[in-house]
Amino acid sequence: MKIIKLLMLSVAILFLIFAQNNLDPYTVSILNNIAIFGILALSYNLINGVAGQFSLEPNGFVAIGAYVTALLILPASSKIDMFALEDPAPIILAMHTSFLPALLMSGIVAAVLAFILSIPVFRVRGDYLAIVTLGFGFIIRIFAMNQTKYTNGAMGLNDIPDNANLLWTGGIIIVTFIVMLNVIYSKYGRAMKAVRDDEDAATAMGINTFWIKTYAFMTSAFFEGVGGGLMASLLTTISPDQFTFLLTFQLLIIIVLGGLGSMSGTLIGAVLVMGGTEWLRFLDQNMDIFGYNTGAHPGLRMVVFSILLIIMMLFARRGIFGNKELTDMFKRGKK
Amino acid sequence: MILELKNITMQFGGITAIDDLNFGVKTGEIYGLIGPNGAGKTTLFNIVTGNYTQTKGTVVFNHEELSGVKPNEIVLRGIARTFQNIRLFKSMSVLENVLIGFHHQANYTYFESILRLPRHFSNEKKIKKEAMILLEKFGIADLADTNSSSLSYGNQRKVEIARALATNPRLLLLDEPAAGMNPSETEDLSNIIKKIKTEFGLTILLIEHDMKFVNQMCDKVLVLDYGEQIFEGKPSDAIVDEKVVAAYLGDFEHA
Amino acid sequence: MKKITTIAASVALIASMSYAKEVKIGVVLPITGPLAAFGQTSNDGLKIAYAQNHTLKNGDTVKLIVLDDRGDKVEAATAVKRLINKNHVTAILGEVASSNSMAMAPVAEKAKTPMLTHASTNPRVTKGKKFVTRACFIDPFQGAIQANYAYDHGYKTAVIVTDAKQDYSVGVSKAFKKAYEKRGGKIVGRVIINSGDKDFNAQVSTIKAKHPGIVDFTGYYPEAALMVRQARAVGVKAPFIGGDGVGFPELIKIGGKAAEGFMYSDHFDEAAATSPVAKAYVKAFHAKYHKATDSMGALAADGYGMILAAMNKCKDPTDKICVNTNLRATKGYQGVTGVININKNGDAVKSGVVRVVKNGKFAYLTTVNP
Amino acid sequence: MDISTFVQQMINGISLGSMYALIAIGYTLVYGVLRLINFAHGDIMMVGAFVAYLAQNAGIPFELAVILAIIAAMVTGILTDKIAYKPLRNAPKISLLITAIGISFFLENLFNVLFGGVPRAFSAPDYLTKIIHYDGIIVPVTVIIIPVVTLILLFIILWILNKTKYGMAIRSLAFDIPTVKLMGINADIIIMLVFAIGSALAAIGGIFYAVSYPSIDPLMGVIVGLKAFAAAVLGGIGSVAGAVIGGFILGFTEIVVVAFMPDLGGYKDAFAFIFLILVLLFKPTGIMGQDLDRSRF
């Protein structure tokens, strides 16, 4: 079993190296998008799927991560030049690190914020939790828009050094995947699932459900922050308007489609959603033969995407993988 | 006395569910709580386990007062429970359900599990072994990898009790353990309860309707009616007590 | 892998020698999503320009590949890569929003593919980029037009309305303030709106209390129309002046009578369209859409035209470097929106107009030269 | 701030709050019965406004256009349930949520493809757009009509819920679908009724919205829908009266923030949510709500 895992890991790494150097930038960028949204969705699935806390805040954590990394890797001169609305705050000018510490910092800041948020957030349950977290995602974005001294407001940041590439995004999604599985297959992961299945019963087993939820929330936030940092460096530009709840919805679609609570399913979901929207572009170009090819219905792609989404949900009610992992299926196969 | 309830009163929005209740459970006893539906038995359980905070009175467990102690901490002090309507973790296997009970006996931190440090493996191995031993005692070791929701009712009940035992309790609260079981299952269950009681040195407080079961199992019973204590003593005496009979008749009439 | 591409490329090369070539221009626009209005109006103008001319001097035909990015940065960046690496376009036109153009610019720069944005006015879009050019003027110029026009026409005090969600609005507001105060004007207040808002009663009450000479509205038309309506309803008498973001027919349709007298700086005006290019565009636009022209469409048409002009100057119109060099060297291009010169930063230097809503129509007031 | 400005702002708050309330009722009714956050509800409001617009464009008088819009919204709501929710009654709740988002995306993009994303001017008859001047206070007629209509509708809804057979069925359905089935009531018809009522209210809310702020576009329902949902939660989701209270509170908060703290105008949307979060911290189930998850055992 261990050998198989190591083999899979090395194949994945070899593929990343090959892809980065040999595939065309378009294919690489699709892989990058899949990897980044995969990272975000994997971590989102921990709190939403594994711990069963239906929360809607990842756009906020992604935003935080993106801004922290961007501000850390942008050189001071560039910041002075860029902050058009107000001069940047001294701390913004002073902060500067290389890429890896910046990513880690993104994760840490997001995780610390998650810790602070967990106190109010986990006072409520169910759909109330959903709206409170939705609110937090909203508030973070609005702050990004208005704290011009720190974020340059709606103008956003650009010329962010493009340190990220497929090796980074691919490497980090592998790390995220392993960490998530390690969490799930530990007493903490079991406790998270217990909280999801029956919170009162989990308490009756002596589990401090607040802390278990907070662990899941912080871990989730950490990787969402890192993913945000990667996104910032990959796009080289960020602005508050890219972190709306539509981002959260996109992640939600990925995890539910793949199977809530299943990390393997999430990877499939990320491929389907991120690859699928690209693939569906042919719909926008159905008039190719006439030379001018936006077709009669530009935007049809998104109509079809939403129909496919509904159909897929109707047929795979618990998502593609349910809440099982690929490894579970192996296990069952062996028996 | 391992458990003592003193002057317990519980009110919900003006309605008195439990009225000035006093009783104690001796170490090693099987103590039964009986009474018609709505008598306040489960409420009493919820007070002992810290899910409800009583309006008045104190709960003393092992010479320590329990007021203000959170439900999950009460478990760590040695009180475990089962639920009236079996509440297993439905998405998990039987083994995983029991492992949840061993949560606090696995000593590794969150980071150790993320990094898969040696302590993670050694502790997981240890609790898995212990969980299997426990399942064997209940005769359901072969079901370890089965999903808990696909078990028969009787086996689900066993898993729930095994899971509670995994927390290493000194006092076990069983809420209608025999409910919904056929006579042979009930028989099986009472044997197991007696076995584990001696083996683990447990004290058991149980709620039950099945009077035959109570008679067979309990050293002592307390009869509740509308939150009031109407009888405490030997089960064989309870069934001939006038008040008790009246209370049960009333219950039947209502039903 | 590489071998196959080489073979494919050589096959394509042989094929291209015998026929008139097809030259591809990629277009990235927000056809869906929150910016759909801008993407769709750009696309409308583009269609007119394409219909008018899609053949190069050497006989090659131009093919447009229009991709929708939902107004999303990730999609915009991916779309550019798709255009460059999958469709092998020679040049790229787009996007509308500066924030999206900024996500596309580094991709084009890296792939050494000329990118021309027709409507992104944030100065940073072209900054430091050799392959990114724009067909419109930048925020500071527009802010200055508004400030100077307002001050010169006797409005010495102003309230600025900023849309905190739009980088465009924030940029123009800042430029307006700078230019206005430099002239001696006084900013008596500043109110903030958020695009998507519909209720501005609170803001207009604040404006009313400040009694400004003029209200500088730097956002977009959906908010402008509603705000001016609500402002007039509560009795704000001061005129409004805005930027190209408000110059849409919907300002009048939605604003109704309240929109009367709303002034704004813009890229072009039908009435001022005297050149044959502009006249032809306006005529074709009216014939096809039966509505007034707008600057988004006109700018897109100009962007397309500039790319075509640059291609025509190259022996091989698919030579990206050559096309880019010529695009950056554009001088005196006679477009729909006027004469366009590209300066060394890649920004368009061109005149702007000030227009006003008069009798339910947009009317030309004046032309402002840079 | 003088008294007339103050009164002015209060009136504005009532008007805005009424519209949120109308849309919030739809959320709360559907939630009460299906435990589903119907993310497509805001888009049904958009459908209502658009149909009214299109009907008027086709020469149909405003009043008739309104009726058509209400019918169209009801049909859309019922179809949404039939296509996307009904097949998933026994599936995990979150799957329904995804189909709800799917329907929402579908409606937005369909209208974008069909009618374009450029906002359109919504016209209304003069009697609705009149403005009354009274003692320095300027009151658009809509500001009076909207709250009045909202209150009338609220009383009708409450009457239906509390006094009619179907209403009582709706309320009992909120507790337990199987039980209602045992009672011999066709749960599907009741659920259909709920979607019909909710969608009709959304259409009315959408038309009011379009009359007050006469510009409509395919995405107009997104933010309004989200805020109405927040209002429903604030009031205690599942409670009709709560939805109305929540709507008013949210409307007032928004107006007050911008009116009295103009510098914080950029934070307006944040305030609505900060307020919501604060309320939930002290009352985790909203102002009028009960904990539906827990009250089940």
Side-chain angles (χ1 to χ4, degrees), chain C residues 22-61:
Chain C
E22 198 176 56
V23 181
K24 291 180 196 158
I25 299 177
V27 183
V28 181
L29 289 172
I31 309 255
T32 59
L35 301 171
F38 302 102
Q40 290 170 4
T41 45
S42 298
N43 200 14
D44 286 348
L46 194 56
K47 280 181 190 165
I48 298 289
Y50 183 79
Q52 284 177 335
N53 183 14
H54 52 267
T55 318
L56 294 176
K57 257 199 323 214
N58 65 1
D60 291 352
T61 45

Short mmCIF file of all heavy atoms in Angstrom, two decimals, chain C residues 22-61:
data_model
loop_
_atom_site.label_atom_id
_atom_site.label_comp_id
_atom_site.label_asym_id
_atom_site.label_seq_id
_atom_site.Cartn_x
_atom_site.Cartn_y
_atom_site.Cartn_z
N GLU C 22 -5.65 33.41 -43.40
CA GLU C 22 -6.63 33.87 -42.41
C GLU C 22 -5.85 34.44 -41.23
O GLU C 22 -4.99 33.76 -40.68
CB GLU C 22 -7.48 32.69 -41.97
CG GLU C 22 -8.76 33.09 -41.31
CD GLU C 22 -9.59 31.87 -40.99
OE1 GLU C 22 -9.07 30.98 -40.29
OE2 GLU C 22 -10.75 31.81 -41.44
N VAL C 23 -6.10 35.67 -40.90
CA VAL C 23 -5.40 36.28 -39.78
C VAL C 23 -6.38 36.37 -38.62
O VAL C 23 -7.50 36.88 -38.80
CB VAL C 23 -4.88 37.69 -40.15
CG1 VAL C 23 -4.13 38.29 -38.98
CG2 VAL C 23 -4.00 37.60 -41.37
N LYS C 24 -5.95 35.88 -37.49
CA LYS C 24 -6.91 35.82 -36.38
C LYS C 24 -6.67 36.91 -35.34
O LYS C 24 -5.53 37.15 -34.95
CB LYS C 24 -6.82 34.46 -35.70
CG LYS C 24 -7.33 33.33 -36.56
CD LYS C 24 -7.19 32.04 -35.78
CE LYS C 24 -7.31 30.84 -36.69
NZ LYS C 24 -6.69 29.68 -36.06
N ILE C 25 -7.74 37.52 -34.93
CA ILE C 25 -7.68 38.48 -33.83
C ILE C 25 -8.57 37.92 -32.72
O ILE C 25 -9.73 37.58 -32.95
CB ILE C 25 -8.18 39.87 -34.24
CG1 ILE C 25 -7.30 40.43 -35.37
CG2 ILE C 25 -8.18 40.82 -33.06
CD1 ILE C 25 -7.77 41.77 -35.90
N GLY C 26 -8.00 37.80 -31.54
CA GLY C 26 -8.77 37.30 -30.41
C GLY C 26 -9.39 38.46 -29.65
O GLY C 26 -8.80 39.53 -29.52
N VAL C 27 -10.60 38.25 -29.18
CA VAL C 27 -11.28 39.30 -28.42
C VAL C 27 -11.74 38.70 -27.08
O VAL C 27 -12.31 37.62 -27.06
CB VAL C 27 -12.51 39.84 -29.19
CG1 VAL C 27 -13.16 40.97 -28.43
CG2 VAL C 27 -12.12 40.26 -30.58
N VAL C 28 -11.46 39.37 -26.00
CA VAL C 28 -11.94 38.93 -24.69
C VAL C 28 -12.87 40.00 -24.14
O VAL C 28 -12.47 41.15 -23.98
CB VAL C 28 -10.78 38.69 -23.70
CG1 VAL C 28 -11.32 38.19 -22.37
CG2 VAL C 28 -9.78 37.70 -24.28
N LEU C 29 -14.11 39.62 -23.89
CA LEU C 29 -15.09 40.59 -23.40
C LEU C 29 -15.96 39.94 -22.32
O LEU C 29 -16.20 38.74 -22.34
CB LEU C 29 -16.00 41.05 -24.55
CG LEU C 29 -15.37 41.95 -25.61
CD1 LEU C 29 -16.34 42.14 -26.76
CD2 LEU C 29 -14.96 43.29 -25.03
N PRO C 30 -16.45 40.74 -21.40
CA PRO C 30 -17.39 40.21 -20.40
C PRO C 30 -18.80 40.15 -20.97
O PRO C 30 -19.60 41.05 -20.75
CB PRO C 30 -17.29 41.21 -19.25
CG PRO C 30 -16.92 42.50 -19.90
CD PRO C 30 -16.13 42.16 -21.14
N ILE C 31 -19.11 39.10 -21.71
CA ILE C 31 -20.42 39.02 -22.35
C ILE C 31 -21.50 38.61 -21.33
O ILE C 31 -22.67 38.90 -21.49
CB ILE C 31 -20.38 38.00 -23.51
CG1 ILE C 31 -19.21 38.32 -24.42
CG2 ILE C 31 -21.71 37.91 -24.23
CD1 ILE C 31 -19.49 38.95 -25.72
N THR C 32 -21.07 37.89 -20.29
CA THR C 32 -22.02 37.55 -19.24
C THR C 32 -21.48 38.11 -17.93
O THR C 32 -20.37 38.63 -17.88
CB THR C 32 -22.18 36.02 -19.10
OG1 THR C 32 -20.91 35.46 -18.79
CG2 THR C 32 -22.70 35.39 -20.38
N GLY C 33 -22.26 37.95 -16.88
CA GLY C 33 -21.80 38.41 -15.57
C GLY C 33 -22.08 39.88 -15.34
O GLY C 33 -22.75 40.53 -16.15
N PRO C 34 -21.57 40.40 -14.24
CA PRO C 34 -21.95 41.76 -13.83
C PRO C 34 -21.53 42.85 -14.81
O PRO C 34 -22.09 43.94 -14.79
CB PRO C 34 -21.24 41.93 -12.47
CG PRO C 34 -20.24 40.83 -12.40
CD PRO C 34 -20.73 39.72 -13.25
N LEU C 35 -20.54 42.58 -15.65
CA LEU C 35 -20.11 43.62 -16.58
C LEU C 35 -20.69 43.40 -17.98
O LEU C 35 -20.23 43.99 -18.96
CB LEU C 35 -18.58 43.65 -16.66
CG LEU C 35 -17.85 43.91 -15.35
CD1 LEU C 35 -16.36 43.71 -15.52
CD2 LEU C 35 -18.13 45.33 -14.87
N ALA C 36 -21.68 42.52 -18.07
CA ALA C 36 -22.20 42.11 -19.37
C ALA C 36 -22.59 43.30 -20.25
O ALA C 36 -22.36 43.27 -21.46
CB ALA C 36 -23.41 41.18 -19.18
N ALA C 37 -23.15 44.33 -19.66
CA ALA C 37 -23.61 45.47 -20.45
C ALA C 37 -22.45 46.05 -21.26
O ALA C 37 -22.61 46.39 -22.44
CB ALA C 37 -24.21 46.53 -19.55
N PHE C 38 -21.29 46.15 -20.64
CA PHE C 38 -20.14 46.76 -21.33
C PHE C 38 -19.58 45.82 -22.39
O PHE C 38 -19.18 46.25 -23.47
CB PHE C 38 -19.06 47.14 -20.32
CG PHE C 38 -19.59 48.08 -19.29
CD1 PHE C 38 -19.93 47.64 -18.03
CD2 PHE C 38 -19.79 49.41 -19.61
CE1 PHE C 38 -20.45 48.50 -17.09
CE2 PHE C 38 -20.31 50.29 -18.66
CZ PHE C 38 -20.65 49.83 -17.41
N GLY C 39 -19.56 44.55 -22.05
CA GLY C 39 -19.05 43.58 -23.00
C GLY C 39 -19.95 43.50 -24.22
O GLY C 39 -19.50 43.46 -25.37
N GLN C 40 -21.25 43.50 -23.96
CA GLN C 40 -22.18 43.36 -25.07
C GLN C 40 -22.20 44.59 -25.98
O GLN C 40 -22.25 44.46 -27.20
CB GLN C 40 -23.58 43.05 -24.53
CG GLN C 40 -23.64 41.64 -23.95
CD GLN C 40 -24.93 41.37 -23.18
OE1 GLN C 40 -25.82 42.21 -23.14
NE2 GLN C 40 -25.02 40.21 -22.56
N THR C 41 -22.13 45.79 -25.37
CA THR C 41 -22.12 46.99 -26.22
C THR C 41 -20.81 47.06 -27.01
O THR C 41 -20.81 47.46 -28.17
CB THR C 41 -22.31 48.28 -25.40
OG1 THR C 41 -21.48 48.22 -24.26
CG2 THR C 41 -23.74 48.46 -24.99
N SER C 42 -19.71 46.65 -26.39
CA SER C 42 -18.44 46.60 -27.13
C SER C 42 -18.57 45.67 -28.32
O SER C 42 -18.15 45.98 -29.44
CB SER C 42 -17.31 46.10 -26.23
OG SER C 42 -17.10 46.96 -25.14
N ASN C 43 -19.16 44.52 -28.04
CA ASN C 43 -19.31 43.50 -29.08
C ASN C 43 -20.17 44.02 -30.22
O ASN C 43 -19.88 43.77 -31.40
CB ASN C 43 -19.93 42.26 -28.45
CG ASN C 43 -19.70 41.02 -29.29
OD1 ASN C 43 -18.86 41.04 -30.20
ND2 ASN C 43 -20.42 39.96 -29.01
N ASP C 44 -21.21 44.79 -29.90
CA ASP C 44 -22.07 45.35 -30.93
C ASP C 44 -21.28 46.25 -31.87
O ASP C 44 -21.42 46.18 -33.09
CB ASP C 44 -23.22 46.16 -30.30
CG ASP C 44 -24.26 45.25 -29.67
OD1 ASP C 44 -24.20 44.03 -29.94
OD2 ASP C 44 -25.11 45.74 -28.92
N GLY C 45 -20.45 47.11 -31.29
CA GLY C 45 -19.64 48.01 -32.11
C GLY C 45 -18.65 47.23 -32.95
O GLY C 45 -18.42 47.53 -34.14
N LEU C 46 -18.10 46.21 -32.32
CA LEU C 46 -17.11 45.39 -33.00
C LEU C 46 -17.71 44.72 -34.24
O LEU C 46 -17.09 44.63 -35.29
CB LEU C 46 -16.61 44.34 -32.01
CG LEU C 46 -15.36 43.56 -32.36
CD1 LEU C 46 -14.21 44.51 -32.62
CD2 LEU C 46 -15.02 42.63 -31.22
N LYS C 47 -18.94 44.27 -34.09
CA LYS C 47 -19.61 43.60 -35.21
C LYS C 47 -19.74 44.54 -36.40
O LYS C 47 -19.55 44.14 -37.54
CB LYS C 47 -21.00 43.12 -34.78
CG LYS C 47 -20.99 41.83 -33.99
CD LYS C 47 -22.42 41.44 -33.63
CE LYS C 47 -22.44 40.30 -32.64
NZ LYS C 47 -23.76 40.15 -32.02
N ILE C 48 -20.07 45.80 -36.10
CA ILE C 48 -20.20 46.79 -37.18
C ILE C 48 -18.86 46.96 -37.88
O ILE C 48 -18.76 46.89 -39.11
CB ILE C 48 -20.65 48.16 -36.59
CG1 ILE C 48 -22.01 48.03 -35.94
CG2 ILE C 48 -20.65 49.22 -37.68
CD1 ILE C 48 -23.16 47.84 -36.88
N ALA C 49 -17.82 47.17 -37.08
CA ALA C 49 -16.51 47.42 -37.66
C ALA C 49 -16.05 46.21 -38.47
O ALA C 49 -15.46 46.35 -39.54
CB ALA C 49 -15.51 47.73 -36.55
N TYR C 50 -16.36 45.03 -37.94
CA TYR C 50 -15.94 43.81 -38.64
C TYR C 50 -16.67 43.69 -39.98
O TYR C 50 -16.06 43.35 -41.00
CB TYR C 50 -16.22 42.58 -37.78
CG TYR C 50 -15.75 41.30 -38.41
CD1 TYR C 50 -14.40 40.94 -38.36
CD2 TYR C 50 -16.64 40.46 -39.08
CE1 TYR C 50 -13.96 39.78 -38.95
CE2 TYR C 50 -16.21 39.29 -39.68
CZ TYR C 50 -14.87 38.94 -39.61
OH TYR C 50 -14.43 37.80 -40.19
N ALA C 51 -17.95 43.98 -39.96
CA ALA C 51 -18.73 43.88 -41.19
C ALA C 51 -18.21 44.88 -42.22
O ALA C 51 -18.20 44.59 -43.42
CB ALA C 51 -20.20 44.14 -40.89
N GLN C 52 -17.77 46.04 -41.74
CA GLN C 52 -17.29 47.06 -42.67
C GLN C 52 -15.98 46.64 -43.33
O GLN C 52 -15.74 46.92 -44.49
CB GLN C 52 -17.08 48.38 -41.94
CG GLN C 52 -18.38 49.10 -41.65
CD GLN C 52 -18.14 50.36 -40.85
OE1 GLN C 52 -17.13 50.47 -40.14
NE2 GLN C 52 -19.05 51.30 -40.95
N ASN C 53 -15.14 46.02 -42.59
CA ASN C 53 -13.84 45.69 -43.14
C ASN C 53 -13.25 44.47 -42.43
O ASN C 53 -12.97 44.52 -41.24
CB ASN C 53 -12.90 46.89 -42.98
CG ASN C 53 -11.55 46.60 -43.60
OD1 ASN C 53 -11.40 45.64 -44.36
ND2 ASN C 53 -10.57 47.43 -43.28
N HIS C 54 -13.09 43.41 -43.16
CA HIS C 54 -12.37 42.29 -42.59
C HIS C 54 -11.41 41.67 -43.58
O HIS C 54 -11.14 40.49 -43.55
CB HIS C 54 -13.34 41.25 -41.99
CG HIS C 54 -14.40 40.81 -42.94
ND1 HIS C 54 -15.64 41.41 -43.00
CD2 HIS C 54 -14.41 39.86 -43.88
CE1 HIS C 54 -16.37 40.84 -43.92
NE2 HIS C 54 -15.63 39.88 -44.49
N THR C 55 -10.95 42.48 -44.49
CA THR C 55 -9.94 42.01 -45.44
C THR C 55 -8.72 42.93 -45.33
O THR C 55 -8.86 44.15 -45.30
CB THR C 55 -10.48 42.05 -46.87
OG1 THR C 55 -11.81 41.56 -46.87
CG2 THR C 55 -9.62 41.21 -47.79
N LEU C 56 -7.57 42.32 -45.29
CA LEU C 56 -6.35 43.13 -45.22
C LEU C 56 -5.92 43.52 -46.62
O LEU C 56 -6.40 42.98 -47.62
CB LEU C 56 -5.24 42.34 -44.52
CG LEU C 56 -5.48 42.04 -43.04
CD1 LEU C 56 -4.35 41.19 -42.50
CD2 LEU C 56 -5.61 43.32 -42.25
N LYS C 57 -5.00 44.45 -46.66
CA LYS C 57 -4.52 44.96 -47.96
C LYS C 57 -4.02 43.85 -48.86
O LYS C 57 -4.24 43.85 -50.06
CB LYS C 57 -3.39 45.96 -47.70
CG LYS C 57 -3.85 47.39 -47.84
CD LYS C 57 -2.73 48.39 -48.04
CE LYS C 57 -1.45 48.12 -47.29
NZ LYS C 57 -0.76 49.33 -46.85
N ASN C 58 -3.33 42.90 -48.25
CA ASN C 58 -2.75 41.83 -49.06
C ASN C 58 -3.74 40.71 -49.39
O ASN C 58 -3.37 39.68 -49.91
CB ASN C 58 -1.51 41.25 -48.37
CG ASN C 58 -1.89 40.56 -47.08
OD1 ASN C 58 -3.07 40.51 -46.73
ND2 ASN C 58 -0.92 40.03 -46.38
N GLY C 59 -4.99 40.94 -49.05
CA GLY C 59 -6.00 39.96 -49.41
C GLY C 59 -6.34 38.95 -48.32
O GLY C 59 -7.28 38.18 -48.45
N ASP C 60 -5.58 38.94 -47.27
CA ASP C 60 -5.87 38.02 -46.17
C ASP C 60 -7.18 38.42 -45.50
O ASP C 60 -7.49 39.60 -45.39
CB ASP C 60 -4.77 38.07 -45.11
CG ASP C 60 -3.47 37.48 -45.63
OD1 ASP C 60 -3.50 36.91 -46.73
OD2 ASP C 60 -2.45 37.61 -44.94
N THR C 61 -7.90 37.40 -45.05
CA THR C 61 -9.12 37.74 -44.33
C THR C 61 -8.88 37.67 -42.82
O THR C 61 -8.09 36.86 -42.33
CB THR C 61 -10.28 36.77 -44.65
OG1 THR C 61 -9.76 35.47 -44.62
CG2 THR C 61 -10.90 37.07 -45.98
#
